[in-house]
Amino acid sequence: MSRDTRLVRPYYISCYEVWHRGFLLVMKRLFLCSLLALMATLSAIAQNLTGVVMDAETGEKLPFVNVFYANGARTQTDLEGRFTIARRQATLNISLIGYQTKTIKPSAENNIEVRLTSSTREFSAAVVQASKKKYSRKNNPAVELMRKVIAAKTNSDVKRHDFYSYDKYSKMVFALNDVNDKTFAQEGMSKFSFLKDHIETSSETGKRILPISVEETVSREIYRKTPHSEKSIITGKRQNGINDLINTGDILNTLLKECFTDVNIYQDEVRLLQYPFTSPISSKTAISFYRYFIEDTVMIGKDKTIHLTFTPNNPQDFGFSGDLYIMADSTYRVRRADLGIPVRSDVNYVERMNIYQDFEQLPSGEQVLTHDDMIVQLKLASFIQKLQVRRTTDYSNFSLEPIADKTFHFKGDTRTEANAMVRGVEFWNEVRPETLTKGEEDMDLLVKKLQNVKGFKFALFVAKAFIENFVETSLDPKKPSKVDIGPVNTIISQSKVEGLRLRASAQTTAFLDPHLFTKGYIAYGFRDHRWKGMGEVTYSFNKKAYLPREFPVNNLTLHYENDLMSASDQFIPTDKDNVFTSFKWTNSDHMLYNEMWRLNWDREWENGLRFNAQLRTQKTEAAGSLFYQRLNLSGPTPVRADHLPYLRTTDFTASLRFQPGATFINTKQRRIAVNNDAPIYSVSHTIGLEGVLGSQYTYNLTEAGIYKRLWLGSWGKMDFYLKGGAQWNKVPFPLLITPAANLSYIMEDNTFNLIDNMEFLNDRYASLMYGWDLNGKVFNRIPLIKKLKWREYLGVNVLWGQLTDKNNPWKNSNDGALLYFPGTFNTDGSFDFLSSPMDPKKPYVEAIIGVHNIFKIFHIQYVRRLTYIDNPDTKRWGIRFMFRVTF
């Protein structure tokens, strides 16, 4: 069979990968099931101020009103106009687009009522009516001001200079949010009473939280214009929390950092929650995407600013809403930005997001970000505990001085200093802009207390087996598992040839040896009564933290396998005997027993380049309805004596893949890319070595592919995957190119949904797979339906194929070098061919219409086959589904 070098777009997730790709969701379930004790609560140490905001004329309660202290905590009112905020001895500001801002002086009251008066906005002698009036960009002073702000952006671009550098401190805290008293009333919670010492009140939201993970990073960021280089030197890094209890706990921090990235409003698009958000000062689309209103002039320190509010035209589009404070001078610099996402936004799981940014001017004139505070409140479901993610970042010590060339001389974009992970207390006390809270500081103590709770280790053991799909062989976190049993989802499965299949699998970890790894399995089929198995030994030239696939890889692997497979198995990224994908929409009984030895060297670099060299020998034996018979004038026969017992091949493959800017998370089962905005290129060549280790054939297979994603703003994203290949030699059908067919009901990326197993056999092909995720652009504008937050999906898959005359059995009817194509013998002795060559002038086409984001996790697609439908047994349509967790 052809070697698959296809690109796997990591963004989509099949249902059997939910506990990996949707880690935030299942991690939350872990907290609910095994760490239920963490949701304890006490009365808040600091008093909160509560209130309600109403329209002064109508008495209508006003939602989404900004409630904030000038230099401190801030929040918004809920749908009932109510708010809660930590009490401070400072003036409280109440503001909303279309109303006059109101200030409340400190008082002893715990509950207040605020009435806002509708306003008209004035600027440069022009009058803009309140936002309740029809919005117009023409002759709108707010829009004219924003045009000047956008035009002045280039004056704040520090990349105009030959060099610049600055220090960066970042802290990310993951916490249980809005912890309530009901939890302690539950049976069995008394053993977790110690949690009361770790509950604290958020200074920004006024809600009670329980920090469960904290990560701090200090770095020096450097830039050089020519030759261009931007790099980060990490001088200090530490993390503590419950992720330390999970051996692949870096998943949590990686996902958080990938989803909650740095926000630079001076860029046209801000990548956040794995989506591009339009910046409120985007040079391309901000004016058309947002509505702007001038509120007032505000003093920030000694700076006089013009206060603007803004919101997307459609609040369900992926965009920001909030406040901009523009310097009231000729520079039009942004002094402060308070960003959020509309409560009615189509973003999943985010109950509220606030980003507070302060900017300062360098002596050279550029405006730079100096403080960034992001607070995200997550609500996965009504029955699951809420979460809070807070990331604070401070930038300091800006310099435009030249930087020595040697400073840039290291591999990749990031270098971690040798002592970065072992910095002492004095270092962190010096670099922190503010001290840790008590809950953040006592994270180690919290983890130790949890470990000492009776039954906690076992509950965590069970939860980790569910999340990671592997069972560890150690219950003691102080003695990490050296051998993991799994994957769990392959223990039981089924196929037409094997019937019921049972499998036992295991793999070693870096705690046994950080360079040498082994894994394997044994399996048994109760219908074919045959044992199967696999064994693999990997030597990693790089020291690994847990498994050899961690980025970047530099591995030498020896692999042996003796198992049953079908031609389409090579195109599925998961295990071929996964219990979920073992159920097929077609009668897949044309299979083969494959005995294979493989020696593989896999090397990748920090810039995203990956090289693979592989020497492989394999012996394939037909199974089920498949058979190997040489061409002759008498035609196919069911007599086994006329069939070849096996085919033997040996080949060498070299491949290159380039995926710049990729970020990966490592699970115990596979490595998954969490972003793929950059194009992905791949090329490979396989040469068959006749006579080597008994190989019977010479062949040359060349394949190349390119994947590209295009973001269309509020119109979602388009994915294109173009691939082509050629088998250059005369070969029997197992060495021809089979389409990437997906025979299961579960959606798989880069596969054809309605092509049957080995339906088409080609020696030349080109394929195009196109998908358009509209991100709710249409549904969000339909009454009632828009409340469901469904998202539309359109797609089309096209395959062009050709079988040259030298490999066509119908044109070489007595050529013993070729084999009859697969098919089925009927009871009357006739033979129906399963496989056929494609018409080079007639492509295979299937169209896809889908509804995604049903209940925020379920996705369903209707697939329609448009060509090659003359055969009455051809499946013309199908339903495919999967579970996918995305924002």
Side-chain angles (χ1 to χ4, degrees), residues 689-709:
L689 306 174
E690 185 177 4
V692 177
L693 300 177
S695 176
Q696 300 166 316
Y697 302 98
T698 295
Y699 49 91
N700 287 271
L701 172 66
T702 304
E703 291 183 291
I706 180 172
Y707 162 77
K708 176 62 179 176
R709 170 170 291 174

mmCIF file with all atom_site columns, all heavy atoms in Angstrom, residues 689-709:
data_model
loop_
_atom_site.group_PDB
_atom_site.id
_atom_site.type_symbol
_atom_site.label_atom_id
_atom_site.label_alt_id
_atom_site.label_comp_id
_atom_site.label_asym_id
_atom_site.label_entity_id
_atom_site.label_seq_id
_atom_site.pdbx_PDB_ins_code
_atom_site.Cartn_x
_atom_site.Cartn_y
_atom_site.Cartn_z
_atom_site.occupancy
_atom_site.B_iso_or_equiv
_atom_site.pdbx_formal_charge
_atom_site.auth_seq_id
_atom_site.auth_comp_id
_atom_site.auth_asym_id
_atom_site.auth_atom_id
_atom_site.pdbx_PDB_model_num
ATOM 1   N N   . LEU A 1 689 ? 13.133 -1.735  -2.995 1.00 0.00 ? 689 LEU A N   1
ATOM 2   C CA  . LEU A 1 689 ? 14.462 -2.337  -3.148 1.00 0.00 ? 689 LEU A CA  1
ATOM 3   C C   . LEU A 1 689 ? 14.302 -3.818  -3.473 1.00 0.00 ? 689 LEU A C   1
ATOM 4   O O   . LEU A 1 689 ? 14.316 -4.686  -2.592 1.00 0.00 ? 689 LEU A O   1
ATOM 5   C CB  . LEU A 1 689 ? 15.282 -2.134  -1.879 1.00 0.00 ? 689 LEU A CB  1
ATOM 6   C CG  . LEU A 1 689 ? 15.407 -0.685  -1.383 1.00 0.00 ? 689 LEU A CG  1
ATOM 7   C CD1 . LEU A 1 689 ? 16.114 -0.635  -0.036 1.00 0.00 ? 689 LEU A CD1 1
ATOM 8   C CD2 . LEU A 1 689 ? 16.124 0.175   -2.402 1.00 0.00 ? 689 LEU A CD2 1
ATOM 9   N N   . GLU A 1 690 ? 14.124 -4.129  -4.760 1.00 0.00 ? 690 GLU A N   1
ATOM 10  C CA  . GLU A 1 690 ? 13.936 -5.507  -5.169 1.00 0.00 ? 690 GLU A CA  1
ATOM 11  C C   . GLU A 1 690 ? 15.196 -6.323  -4.844 1.00 0.00 ? 690 GLU A C   1
ATOM 12  O O   . GLU A 1 690 ? 16.322 -5.893  -5.078 1.00 0.00 ? 690 GLU A O   1
ATOM 13  C CB  . GLU A 1 690 ? 13.636 -5.578  -6.666 1.00 0.00 ? 690 GLU A CB  1
ATOM 14  C CG  . GLU A 1 690 ? 13.315 -6.982  -7.169 1.00 0.00 ? 690 GLU A CG  1
ATOM 15  C CD  . GLU A 1 690 ? 12.950 -7.008  -8.632 1.00 0.00 ? 690 GLU A CD  1
ATOM 16  O OE1 . GLU A 1 690 ? 13.024 -5.938  -9.288 1.00 0.00 ? 690 GLU A OE1 1
ATOM 17  O OE2 . GLU A 1 690 ? 12.584 -8.095  -9.130 1.00 0.00 ? 690 GLU A OE2 1
ATOM 18  N N   . GLY A 1 691 ? 14.990 -7.525  -4.307 1.00 0.00 ? 691 GLY A N   1
ATOM 19  C CA  . GLY A 1 691 ? 16.090 -8.405  -3.965 1.00 0.00 ? 691 GLY A CA  1
ATOM 20  C C   . GLY A 1 691 ? 16.655 -8.205  -2.579 1.00 0.00 ? 691 GLY A C   1
ATOM 21  O O   . GLY A 1 691 ? 17.413 -9.049  -2.079 1.00 0.00 ? 691 GLY A O   1
ATOM 22  N N   . VAL A 1 692 ? 16.331 -7.096  -1.930 1.00 0.00 ? 692 VAL A N   1
ATOM 23  C CA  . VAL A 1 692 ? 16.820 -6.827  -0.584 1.00 0.00 ? 692 VAL A CA  1
ATOM 24  C C   . VAL A 1 692 ? 15.871 -7.464  0.428  1.00 0.00 ? 692 VAL A C   1
ATOM 25  O O   . VAL A 1 692 ? 14.672 -7.188  0.420  1.00 0.00 ? 692 VAL A O   1
ATOM 26  C CB  . VAL A 1 692 ? 16.943 -5.309  -0.327 1.00 0.00 ? 692 VAL A CB  1
ATOM 27  C CG1 . VAL A 1 692 ? 17.386 -5.046  1.110  1.00 0.00 ? 692 VAL A CG1 1
ATOM 28  C CG2 . VAL A 1 692 ? 17.907 -4.691  -1.313 1.00 0.00 ? 692 VAL A CG2 1
ATOM 29  N N   . LEU A 1 693 ? 16.376 -8.346  1.242  1.00 0.00 ? 693 LEU A N   1
ATOM 30  C CA  . LEU A 1 693 ? 15.589 -9.044  2.265  1.00 0.00 ? 693 LEU A CA  1
ATOM 31  C C   . LEU A 1 693 ? 14.387 -9.761  1.642  1.00 0.00 ? 693 LEU A C   1
ATOM 32  O O   . LEU A 1 693 ? 13.300 -9.833  2.218  1.00 0.00 ? 693 LEU A O   1
ATOM 33  C CB  . LEU A 1 693 ? 15.118 -8.067  3.350  1.00 0.00 ? 693 LEU A CB  1
ATOM 34  C CG  . LEU A 1 693 ? 16.223 -7.341  4.116  1.00 0.00 ? 693 LEU A CG  1
ATOM 35  C CD1 . LEU A 1 693 ? 15.636 -6.348  5.107  1.00 0.00 ? 693 LEU A CD1 1
ATOM 36  C CD2 . LEU A 1 693 ? 17.116 -8.350  4.846  1.00 0.00 ? 693 LEU A CD2 1
ATOM 37  N N   . GLY A 1 694 ? 14.591 -10.279 0.435  1.00 0.00 ? 694 GLY A N   1
ATOM 38  C CA  . GLY A 1 694 ? 13.547 -11.052 -0.227 1.00 0.00 ? 694 GLY A CA  1
ATOM 39  C C   . GLY A 1 694 ? 12.502 -10.238 -0.947 1.00 0.00 ? 694 GLY A C   1
ATOM 40  O O   . GLY A 1 694 ? 11.486 -10.795 -1.389 1.00 0.00 ? 694 GLY A O   1
ATOM 41  N N   . SER A 1 695 ? 12.704 -8.941  -1.093 1.00 0.00 ? 695 SER A N   1
ATOM 42  C CA  . SER A 1 695 ? 11.715 -8.088  -1.760 1.00 0.00 ? 695 SER A CA  1
ATOM 43  C C   . SER A 1 695 ? 11.526 -8.519  -3.211 1.00 0.00 ? 695 SER A C   1
ATOM 44  O O   . SER A 1 695 ? 12.480 -8.817  -3.926 1.00 0.00 ? 695 SER A O   1
ATOM 45  C CB  . SER A 1 695 ? 12.158 -6.628  -1.701 1.00 0.00 ? 695 SER A CB  1
ATOM 46  O OG  . SER A 1 695 ? 11.252 -5.811  -2.413 1.00 0.00 ? 695 SER A OG  1
ATOM 47  N N   . GLN A 1 696 ? 10.253 -8.506  -3.643 1.00 0.00 ? 696 GLN A N   1
ATOM 48  C CA  . GLN A 1 696 ? 9.903  -9.000  -4.969 1.00 0.00 ? 696 GLN A CA  1
ATOM 49  C C   . GLN A 1 696 ? 9.721  -7.891  -6.007 1.00 0.00 ? 696 GLN A C   1
ATOM 50  O O   . GLN A 1 696 ? 9.525  -8.199  -7.181 1.00 0.00 ? 696 GLN A O   1
ATOM 51  C CB  . GLN A 1 696 ? 8.599  -9.812  -4.871 1.00 0.00 ? 696 GLN A CB  1
ATOM 52  C CG  . GLN A 1 696 ? 8.696  -11.012 -3.948 1.00 0.00 ? 696 GLN A CG  1
ATOM 53  C CD  . GLN A 1 696 ? 7.323  -11.569 -3.612 1.00 0.00 ? 696 GLN A CD  1
ATOM 54  O OE1 . GLN A 1 696 ? 6.400  -10.818 -3.315 1.00 0.00 ? 696 GLN A OE1 1
ATOM 55  N NE2 . GLN A 1 696 ? 7.197  -12.903 -3.644 1.00 0.00 ? 696 GLN A NE2 1
ATOM 56  N N   . TYR A 1 697 ? 9.781  -6.600  -5.574 1.00 0.00 ? 697 TYR A N   1
ATOM 57  C CA  . TYR A 1 697 ? 9.386  -5.535  -6.496 1.00 0.00 ? 697 TYR A CA  1
ATOM 58  C C   . TYR A 1 697 ? 10.304 -4.324  -6.385 1.00 0.00 ? 697 TYR A C   1
ATOM 59  O O   . TYR A 1 697 ? 10.840 -4.012  -5.313 1.00 0.00 ? 697 TYR A O   1
ATOM 60  C CB  . TYR A 1 697 ? 7.942  -5.092  -6.227 1.00 0.00 ? 697 TYR A CB  1
ATOM 61  C CG  . TYR A 1 697 ? 6.949  -6.223  -6.351 1.00 0.00 ? 697 TYR A CG  1
ATOM 62  C CD1 . TYR A 1 697 ? 6.504  -6.897  -5.215 1.00 0.00 ? 697 TYR A CD1 1
ATOM 63  C CD2 . TYR A 1 697 ? 6.484  -6.611  -7.594 1.00 0.00 ? 697 TYR A CD2 1
ATOM 64  C CE1 . TYR A 1 697 ? 5.589  -7.935  -5.318 1.00 0.00 ? 697 TYR A CE1 1
ATOM 65  C CE2 . TYR A 1 697 ? 5.569  -7.657  -7.711 1.00 0.00 ? 697 TYR A CE2 1
ATOM 66  C CZ  . TYR A 1 697 ? 5.129  -8.315  -6.578 1.00 0.00 ? 697 TYR A CZ  1
ATOM 67  O OH  . TYR A 1 697 ? 4.245  -9.349  -6.689 1.00 0.00 ? 697 TYR A OH  1
ATOM 68  N N   . THR A 1 698 ? 10.420 -3.638  -7.532 1.00 0.00 ? 698 THR A N   1
ATOM 69  C CA  . THR A 1 698 ? 11.027 -2.307  -7.604 1.00 0.00 ? 698 THR A CA  1
ATOM 70  C C   . THR A 1 698 ? 9.916  -1.293  -7.834 1.00 0.00 ? 698 THR A C   1
ATOM 71  O O   . THR A 1 698 ? 9.061  -1.494  -8.705 1.00 0.00 ? 698 THR A O   1
ATOM 72  C CB  . THR A 1 698 ? 12.050 -2.227  -8.743 1.00 0.00 ? 698 THR A CB  1
ATOM 73  O OG1 . THR A 1 698 ? 13.141 -3.106  -8.462 1.00 0.00 ? 698 THR A OG1 1
ATOM 74  C CG2 . THR A 1 698 ? 12.584 -0.805  -8.886 1.00 0.00 ? 698 THR A CG2 1
ATOM 75  N N   . TYR A 1 699 ? 9.922  -0.229  -7.078 1.00 0.00 ? 699 TYR A N   1
ATOM 76  C CA  . TYR A 1 699 ? 8.882  0.799   -7.255 1.00 0.00 ? 699 TYR A CA  1
ATOM 77  C C   . TYR A 1 699 ? 9.391  2.124   -6.720 1.00 0.00 ? 699 TYR A C   1
ATOM 78  O O   . TYR A 1 699 ? 10.318 2.190   -5.904 1.00 0.00 ? 699 TYR A O   1
ATOM 79  C CB  . TYR A 1 699 ? 7.576  0.418   -6.565 1.00 0.00 ? 699 TYR A CB  1
ATOM 80  C CG  . TYR A 1 699 ? 7.715  -0.048  -5.132 1.00 0.00 ? 699 TYR A CG  1
ATOM 81  C CD1 . TYR A 1 699 ? 7.630  0.849   -4.063 1.00 0.00 ? 699 TYR A CD1 1
ATOM 82  C CD2 . TYR A 1 699 ? 7.929  -1.392  -4.838 1.00 0.00 ? 699 TYR A CD2 1
ATOM 83  C CE1 . TYR A 1 699 ? 7.752  0.418   -2.760 1.00 0.00 ? 699 TYR A CE1 1
ATOM 84  C CE2 . TYR A 1 699 ? 8.053  -1.826  -3.535 1.00 0.00 ? 699 TYR A CE2 1
ATOM 85  C CZ  . TYR A 1 699 ? 7.958  -0.928  -2.493 1.00 0.00 ? 699 TYR A CZ  1
ATOM 86  O OH  . TYR A 1 699 ? 8.080  -1.354  -1.199 1.00 0.00 ? 699 TYR A OH  1
ATOM 87  N N   . ASN A 1 700 ? 8.772  3.194   -7.204 1.00 0.00 ? 700 ASN A N   1
ATOM 88  C CA  . ASN A 1 700 ? 9.095  4.558   -6.772 1.00 0.00 ? 700 ASN A CA  1
ATOM 89  C C   . ASN A 1 700 ? 7.791  5.329   -6.597 1.00 0.00 ? 700 ASN A C   1
ATOM 90  O O   . ASN A 1 700 ? 7.017  5.494   -7.541 1.00 0.00 ? 700 ASN A O   1
ATOM 91  C CB  . ASN A 1 700 ? 9.976  5.264   -7.798 1.00 0.00 ? 700 ASN A CB  1
ATOM 92  C CG  . ASN A 1 700 ? 11.394 4.748   -7.802 1.00 0.00 ? 700 ASN A CG  1
ATOM 93  O OD1 . ASN A 1 700 ? 12.237 5.233   -7.071 1.00 0.00 ? 700 ASN A OD1 1
ATOM 94  N ND2 . ASN A 1 700 ? 11.650 3.730   -8.630 1.00 0.00 ? 700 ASN A ND2 1
ATOM 95  N N   . LEU A 1 701 ? 7.562  5.785   -5.403 1.00 0.00 ? 701 LEU A N   1
ATOM 96  C CA  . LEU A 1 701 ? 6.351  6.536   -5.066 1.00 0.00 ? 701 LEU A CA  1
ATOM 97  C C   . LEU A 1 701 ? 6.743  7.914   -4.560 1.00 0.00 ? 701 LEU A C   1
ATOM 98  O O   . LEU A 1 701 ? 7.512  8.035   -3.600 1.00 0.00 ? 701 LEU A O   1
ATOM 99  C CB  . LEU A 1 701 ? 5.540  5.799   -3.992 1.00 0.00 ? 701 LEU A CB  1
ATOM 100 C CG  . LEU A 1 701 ? 4.351  6.555   -3.398 1.00 0.00 ? 701 LEU A CG  1
ATOM 101 C CD1 . LEU A 1 701 ? 3.274  6.778   -4.448 1.00 0.00 ? 701 LEU A CD1 1
ATOM 102 C CD2 . LEU A 1 701 ? 3.779  5.810   -2.198 1.00 0.00 ? 701 LEU A CD2 1
ATOM 103 N N   . THR A 1 702 ? 6.214  8.944   -5.203 1.00 0.00 ? 702 THR A N   1
ATOM 104 C CA  . THR A 1 702 ? 6.487  10.332  -4.812 1.00 0.00 ? 702 THR A CA  1
ATOM 105 C C   . THR A 1 702 ? 5.170  11.002  -4.429 1.00 0.00 ? 702 THR A C   1
ATOM 106 O O   . THR A 1 702 ? 4.181  10.885  -5.162 1.00 0.00 ? 702 THR A O   1
ATOM 107 C CB  . THR A 1 702 ? 7.150  11.115  -5.948 1.00 0.00 ? 702 THR A CB  1
ATOM 108 O OG1 . THR A 1 702 ? 8.333  10.442  -6.367 1.00 0.00 ? 702 THR A OG1 1
ATOM 109 C CG2 . THR A 1 702 ? 7.508  12.524  -5.498 1.00 0.00 ? 702 THR A CG2 1
ATOM 110 N N   . GLU A 1 703 ? 5.161  11.697  -3.295 1.00 0.00 ? 703 GLU A N   1
ATOM 111 C CA  . GLU A 1 703 ? 3.970  12.422  -2.856 1.00 0.00 ? 703 GLU A CA  1
ATOM 112 C C   . GLU A 1 703 ? 4.374  13.776  -2.291 1.00 0.00 ? 703 GLU A C   1
ATOM 113 O O   . GLU A 1 703 ? 5.453  13.927  -1.719 1.00 0.00 ? 703 GLU A O   1
ATOM 114 C CB  . GLU A 1 703 ? 3.202  11.637  -1.794 1.00 0.00 ? 703 GLU A CB  1
ATOM 115 C CG  . GLU A 1 703 ? 2.538  10.375  -2.338 1.00 0.00 ? 703 GLU A CG  1
ATOM 116 C CD  . GLU A 1 703 ? 1.720  9.662   -1.277 1.00 0.00 ? 703 GLU A CD  1
ATOM 117 O OE1 . GLU A 1 703 ? 2.324  9.118   -0.336 1.00 0.00 ? 703 GLU A OE1 1
ATOM 118 O OE2 . GLU A 1 703 ? 0.489  9.653   -1.408 1.00 0.00 ? 703 GLU A OE2 1
ATOM 119 N N   . ALA A 1 704 ? 3.490  14.755  -2.456 1.00 0.00 ? 704 ALA A N   1
ATOM 120 C CA  . ALA A 1 704 ? 3.715  16.101  -1.915 1.00 0.00 ? 704 ALA A CA  1
ATOM 121 C C   . ALA A 1 704 ? 2.377  16.702  -1.528 1.00 0.00 ? 704 ALA A C   1
ATOM 122 O O   . ALA A 1 704 ? 1.334  16.387  -2.130 1.00 0.00 ? 704 ALA A O   1
ATOM 123 C CB  . ALA A 1 704 ? 4.426  16.987  -2.935 1.00 0.00 ? 704 ALA A CB  1
ATOM 124 N N   . GLY A 1 705 ? 2.398  17.563  -0.530 1.00 0.00 ? 705 GLY A N   1
ATOM 125 C CA  . GLY A 1 705 ? 1.152  18.187  -0.079 1.00 0.00 ? 705 GLY A CA  1
ATOM 126 C C   . GLY A 1 705 ? 1.398  19.554  0.502  1.00 0.00 ? 705 GLY A C   1
ATOM 127 O O   . GLY A 1 705 ? 2.510  19.886  0.937  1.00 0.00 ? 705 GLY A O   1
ATOM 128 N N   . ILE A 1 706 ? 0.343  20.355  0.528  1.00 0.00 ? 706 ILE A N   1
ATOM 129 C CA  . ILE A 1 706 ? 0.389  21.676  1.162  1.00 0.00 ? 706 ILE A CA  1
ATOM 130 C C   . ILE A 1 706 ? -0.965 21.942  1.799  1.00 0.00 ? 706 ILE A C   1
ATOM 131 O O   . ILE A 1 706 ? -2.012 21.646  1.219  1.00 0.00 ? 706 ILE A O   1
ATOM 132 C CB  . ILE A 1 706 ? 0.750  22.790  0.154  1.00 0.00 ? 706 ILE A CB  1
ATOM 133 C CG1 . ILE A 1 706 ? 0.785  24.147  0.865  1.00 0.00 ? 706 ILE A CG1 1
ATOM 134 C CG2 . ILE A 1 706 ? -0.226 22.799  -1.026 1.00 0.00 ? 706 ILE A CG2 1
ATOM 135 C CD1 . ILE A 1 706 ? 1.310  25.271  -0.010 1.00 0.00 ? 706 ILE A CD1 1
ATOM 136 N N   . TYR A 1 707 ? -0.911 22.439  3.013  1.00 0.00 ? 707 TYR A N   1
ATOM 137 C CA  . TYR A 1 707 ? -2.123 22.828  3.744  1.00 0.00 ? 707 TYR A CA  1
ATOM 138 C C   . TYR A 1 707 ? -2.048 24.316  4.055  1.00 0.00 ? 707 TYR A C   1
ATOM 139 O O   . TYR A 1 707 ? -1.001 24.840  4.421  1.00 0.00 ? 707 TYR A O   1
ATOM 140 C CB  . TYR A 1 707 ? -2.243 22.032  5.047  1.00 0.00 ? 707 TYR A CB  1
ATOM 141 C CG  . TYR A 1 707 ? -3.199 22.665  6.029  1.00 0.00 ? 707 TYR A CG  1
ATOM 142 C CD1 . TYR A 1 707 ? -4.567 22.560  5.864  1.00 0.00 ? 707 TYR A CD1 1
ATOM 143 C CD2 . TYR A 1 707 ? -2.719 23.413  7.101  1.00 0.00 ? 707 TYR A CD2 1
ATOM 144 C CE1 . TYR A 1 707 ? -5.441 23.164  6.750  1.00 0.00 ? 707 TYR A CE1 1
ATOM 145 C CE2 . TYR A 1 707 ? -3.579 24.017  7.995  1.00 0.00 ? 707 TYR A CE2 1
ATOM 146 C CZ  . TYR A 1 707 ? -4.940 23.881  7.813  1.00 0.00 ? 707 TYR A CZ  1
ATOM 147 O OH  . TYR A 1 707 ? -5.798 24.496  8.691  1.00 0.00 ? 707 TYR A OH  1
ATOM 148 N N   . LYS A 1 708 ? -3.182 24.993  3.923  1.00 0.00 ? 708 LYS A N   1
ATOM 149 C CA  . LYS A 1 708 ? -3.227 26.425  4.200  1.00 0.00 ? 708 LYS A CA  1
ATOM 150 C C   . LYS A 1 708 ? -4.583 26.791  4.785  1.00 0.00 ? 708 LYS A C   1
ATOM 151 O O   . LYS A 1 708 ? -5.617 26.345  4.300  1.00 0.00 ? 708 LYS A O   1
ATOM 152 C CB  . LYS A 1 708 ? -2.994 27.226  2.903  1.00 0.00 ? 708 LYS A CB  1
ATOM 153 C CG  . LYS A 1 708 ? -3.111 28.736  3.066  1.00 0.00 ? 708 LYS A CG  1
ATOM 154 C CD  . LYS A 1 708 ? -2.075 29.300  4.035  1.00 0.00 ? 708 LYS A CD  1
ATOM 155 C CE  . LYS A 1 708 ? -2.197 30.820  4.162  1.00 0.00 ? 708 LYS A CE  1
ATOM 156 N NZ  . LYS A 1 708 ? -1.246 31.363  5.179  1.00 0.00 ? 708 LYS A NZ  1
ATOM 157 N N   . ARG A 1 709 ? -4.539 27.592  5.847  1.00 0.00 ? 709 ARG A N   1
ATOM 158 C CA  . ARG A 1 709 ? -5.760 28.127  6.450  1.00 0.00 ? 709 ARG A CA  1
ATOM 159 C C   . ARG A 1 709 ? -5.855 29.615  6.172  1.00 0.00 ? 709 ARG A C   1
ATOM 160 O O   . ARG A 1 709 ? -4.870 30.352  6.326  1.00 0.00 ? 709 ARG A O   1
ATOM 161 C CB  . ARG A 1 709 ? -5.778 27.872  7.952  1.00 0.00 ? 709 ARG A CB  1
ATOM 162 C CG  . ARG A 1 709 ? -6.890 28.608  8.696  1.00 0.00 ? 709 ARG A CG  1
ATOM 163 C CD  . ARG A 1 709 ? -7.017 28.133  10.116 1.00 0.00 ? 709 ARG A CD  1
ATOM 164 N NE  . ARG A 1 709 ? -7.538 26.772  10.153 1.00 0.00 ? 709 ARG A NE  1
ATOM 165 C CZ  . ARG A 1 709 ? -7.650 26.053  11.267 1.00 0.00 ? 709 ARG A CZ  1
ATOM 166 N NH1 . ARG A 1 709 ? -7.247 26.563  12.423 1.00 0.00 ? 709 ARG A NH1 1
ATOM 167 N NH2 . ARG A 1 709 ? -8.144 24.838  11.234 1.00 0.00 ? 709 ARG A NH2 1
#
